[in-house]
Amino acid sequence: MSTAEKATTSKSLTARLQVEDKSVDLPVVVGTENEKAIDISDLRKRTGYITLDEGFVNTGSTTSAITFLNGEQGILRYRGYPIEQLCEYCDFVETSYLLIYGKLPNRHELERFRESIRHHTMIHEDMRAFYNGFPRDAHPMAILSSVVGALSTFYQDSLDPHDKEQREISIHRLLAKLPTIAAYSYKKSIGQPLMYPRNELSYCENFLHMMFAVPTQDYEPNPVLVEALNLLLICHADHEQNCSTSTVRIVGSSNANLFASISAGICALWGPLHGGANEACVRMLQQIVADGGNVKKYVDKAKDKKDNFRLMGFGHRVYKNYDPRALIIKKACDKVLSQLNLNDPLFEVAQQLEQVALQDEYFIERKLYPNVDFYSGIIYRAMGLPTNMFTVMFAIGRLPGWIAHWVEMHESPTTRIGRPRQIYVGPTKRDVIPIDQRD
Ligand code: CMC
């Protein structure tokens, strides 16, 4: 069922807007969780006005049946299922199926899905040569977006977003290949041979194998890390209309192919205000530790309006309460460190920072809490991942969410190309003075 069919226009509610001497009644749309929106799609036609909302703080770009989140209450559900339950009972591949196909798979469906993804894990041999063209110190997010974009040059027979079969094969290929593409970027950066995937391993085991195995000796993925990786990927798997997902949707709305749309999403995720925050957060914690662990000094810096320093991994556009993902990840962090018998000073400092910030008037007033990126990096460090791979991990996790939104958009009969309007504030009409007459 398309999302458009699920949105209800209220029979009892309308919004009345008075503009100059005109009064217009605007329809109210109500979602399944009773969220309400004023439908302004024909406002300009009726009044000559548009709405202005920089950063889309208050603008719904679509209806969607994928993820529900309530930032005031700290609720996150994929397709109706609470994130806490998905982390407890499902693995990442199962969660991906749920997001993309809208239902939890039965055993048979899940096995077929896993099988198909296993089947596509290798990348074309010619693609391996790409890795020699990047500088050794290239950021892996740059490699990830380039190589994902380049998939469209290898699979030209399946790029039509309106063809269901072509869409399906592209989705399976991308889910299967993204970990391979990511792990190769790491192997290249440290000068080790690229490790082929091993299809008898699970999704997360296989990723750890491609990252950390070498051809000269056996490698056994640690089950503690496999479990933690599944959990982190599930926590990242979708978050409704965030910056990168909106990017995927807007690029996809021009009918660009899946690989091009996801490549754009990866670029959007890279920024430190979005997925890049996990990398930035660990660098910040390292700096605090190196600086003697003076947590208060950094909280004060974050509050100082003359200083552009922000507490990374803190604050969220939608959550005005503890991010439920941060709660899950903090617990997992504690568990992983104690199971591996590791004592990471960054975890200590992170907990102190959280404590100080949460008791500080500045953070209380603005409802700033730890977000998903605050503790995730500490688990990635325990896995042995280098800091510049953290955002890549976020991308692997977010992939099924991006795909689900891209598919939902293409299945909705109401989708139109994404094309916001603007209020022009530049010079009014003026005439060109030929170059020889200009001052
Ligand atoms: N440290 C200090 N002050 C902050 C922070 C922070 N981390 N976050 C927000 N503020 C202040 C901000 O200065 C502003 O204060 P004032 O009202 O005095 O001007 C107020 O809180 C509201 O902030 P905003 O920037 O208007 O809020 P936003 O919704 O536009 O931005 C955010 C949300 C996530 C970009 C922002 O909180 C931030 O920069 N956080 C740090 C980066 C980060 O952790 N990003 C990851 C977000 S979660 C995962 C993801 O999306 O990828």
Side-chain angles (χ1 to χ4, degrees):
M1 196 192 291
S2 80
T3 54
E5 286 165 301
K6 285 183 179 164
T8 326
T9 301
S10 171
K11 290 200 177 77
S12 55
L13 291 171
T14 49
R16 180 156 301 160
L17 182 71
Q18 183 76 36
V19 195
E20 297 171 22
D21 58 350
K22 254 191 222 136
S23 168
V24 285
D25 284 335
L26 298 164
V28 168
V29 174
V30 185
T32 52
E33 291 282 353
N34 208 27
E35 292 172 302
K36 299 185 188 78
I38 300 167
D39 179 350
I40 51 97
S41 46
D42 65 357
L43 183 68
R44 187 168 180 274
K45 208 175 345 171
R46 291 168 70 190
T47 64
Y49 281 67
I50 63 164
T51 54
L52 184 63
D53 178 22
E54 283 200 28
F56 309 120
V57 176
N58 203 49
T59 295
S61 58
T62 183
T63 60
S64 176
I66 301 168
T67 286
F68 172 67
L69 79 88
N70 179 321
E72 280 72 33
Q73 293 172 32
I75 295 173
L76 173 61
R77 298 186 201 128
Y78 300 160
R79 303 282 189 184
Y81 297 106
I83 185 71
E84 296 79 7
Q85 290 182 28
L86 292 167
C87 286
E88 189 170 349
Y89 299 115
C90 301
D91 71 9
F92 176 63
V93 172
E94 203 174 344
T95 307
S96 302
Y97 186 102
L98 169 70
L99 284 167
I100 297 167
Y101 300 103
K103 65 183 258 290
L104 280 171
N106 61 30
R107 268 180 209 286
H108 175 66
E109 288 163 336
L110 183 56
E111 211 27 64
R112 272 188 36 198
F113 187 55
R114 285 196 206 285
E115 223 13 78
S116 173
I117 288 178
R118 281 201 187 107
H119 179 71
H120 290 289
T121 48
M122 280 196 301
I123 60 171
H124 194 290
E125 278 298 294
D126 292 347
M127 279 192 121
R128 287 165 61 97
F130 287 5
Y131 288 83
N132 295 329
F134 293 110
R136 174 70 69 82
D137 60 353
H139 196 287
M141 284 298 276
I143 299 182
L144 202 69
S145 69
S146 313
V147 179
V148 167
L151 285 172
S152 57
T153 64
F154 285 83
Y155 300 106
Q156 297 181 40
D157 59 341
S158 50
L159 299 179
D160 181 355
H162 300 298
D163 182 313
K164 235 179 154 172
E165 270 176 37
Q166 294 190 27
R167 260 187 358 218
E168 191 68 5
I169 181 82
S170 294
I171 289 169
H172 288 219
R173 280 179 178 143
L174 193 49
L175 281 168
K177 293 180 201 306
L178 196 67
T180 314
I181 294 170
Y184 282 9
S185 72
Y186 171 62
K187 286 298 200 193
K188 160 75 189 167
S189 75
I190 55 169
Q192 284 187 2
L194 311 185
M195 294 297 290
Y196 283 112
R198 275 182 42 198
N199 290 354
E200 77 279 15
L201 298 176
S202 72
Y203 196 84
C204 289
E205 285 170 341
N206 185 41
F207 177 70
L208 293 174
H209 154 79
M210 291 187 290
M211 286 290 294
F212 300 118
V214 285
T216 45
Q217 60 191 67
D218 287 340
Y219 172 80
E220 198 64 48
N222 183 333
V224 172
L225 298 182
V226 173
E227 188 188 325
L229 184 53
N230 261 303
L231 183 128
L232 283 168
L233 297 183
I234 293 172
C235 282
H236 283 103
D238 193 45
H239 215 234
E240 49 118 302
Q241 311 306 322
N242 55 83
C243 176
S244 57
T245 303
S246 298
T247 301
V248 169
R249 287 187 86 121
I250 209 158
V251 172
S253 78
S254 73
N255 287 340
N257 66 69
L258 178 69
F259 304 124
S261 308
I262 300 294
S263 170
I266 292 169
C267 292
L269 185 74
W270 190 3
L273 295 188
H274 190 14
N278 57 12
E279 179 177 339
C281 178
V282 159
R283 294 199 194 285
M284 172 189 80
L285 295 173
Q286 283 168 328
Q287 189 186 339
I288 298 175
V289 170
D291 199 12
N294 187 349
V295 162
K296 192 167 172 311
K297 173 177 161 191
Y298 287 85
V299 169
D300 289 341
K301 256 169 87 63
K303 286 158 50 179
D304 182 357
K305 291 291 172 199
K306 286 190 222 101
D307 190 331
N308 59 15
F309 171 80
R310 282 189 166 199
L311 276 196
M312 299 316 282
F314 248 81
H316 197 276
R317 170 64 59 80
V318 182
Y319 289 121
K320 301 303 165 199
N321 199 329
Y322 213 106
D323 182 336
R325 303 166 301 174
L327 272 181
I328 297 171
I329 294 173
K330 183 181 177 185
K331 243 197 250 165
C333 199
D334 214 357
K335 190 171 157 192
V336 168
L337 294 182
S338 71
Q339 281 175 325
L340 299 180
N341 219 359
L342 291 175
N343 189 3
D344 188 342
L346 265 52
F347 189 44
E348 294 298 314
V349 163
Q351 290 181 99
Q352 285 170 23
L353 198 60
E354 178 188 335
Q355 232 176 14
V356 174
L358 292 186
Q359 284 165 10
D360 190 292
E361 208 39 52
Y362 174 97
F363 290 84
I364 297 170
E365 228 172 63
R366 291 168 181 76
K367 300 190 166 75
L368 301 170
Y369 292 86
N371 60 47
V372 69
D373 292 318
F374 195 62
Y375 287 106
S376 58
I378 296 168
I379 306 187
Y380 291 136
R381 267 163 65 86
M383 285 177 186
L385 286 160
T387 313
N388 68 1
M389 281 294 286
F390 293 0
T391 312
V392 169
M393 303 311 296
F394 195 151
I396 296 174
R398 186 54 54 87
L399 181 63
W402 287 333
I403 292 173
H405 282 272
W406 187 86
V407 170
E408 180 178 76
M409 186 192 63
H410 282 297
E411 285 187 347
S412 166
T414 54
T415 295
R416 300 168 76 183
I417 187 166
R419 202 306 184 184
R421 287 188 176 264
Q422 65 161 25
I423 296 292
Y424 175 71
V425 293
T428 52
K429 182 177 178 286
R430 48 186 172 167
D431 295 321
V432 173
I433 300 167
I435 185 94
D436 53 351
Q437 294 167 35
R438 265 177 247 158
D439 297 335

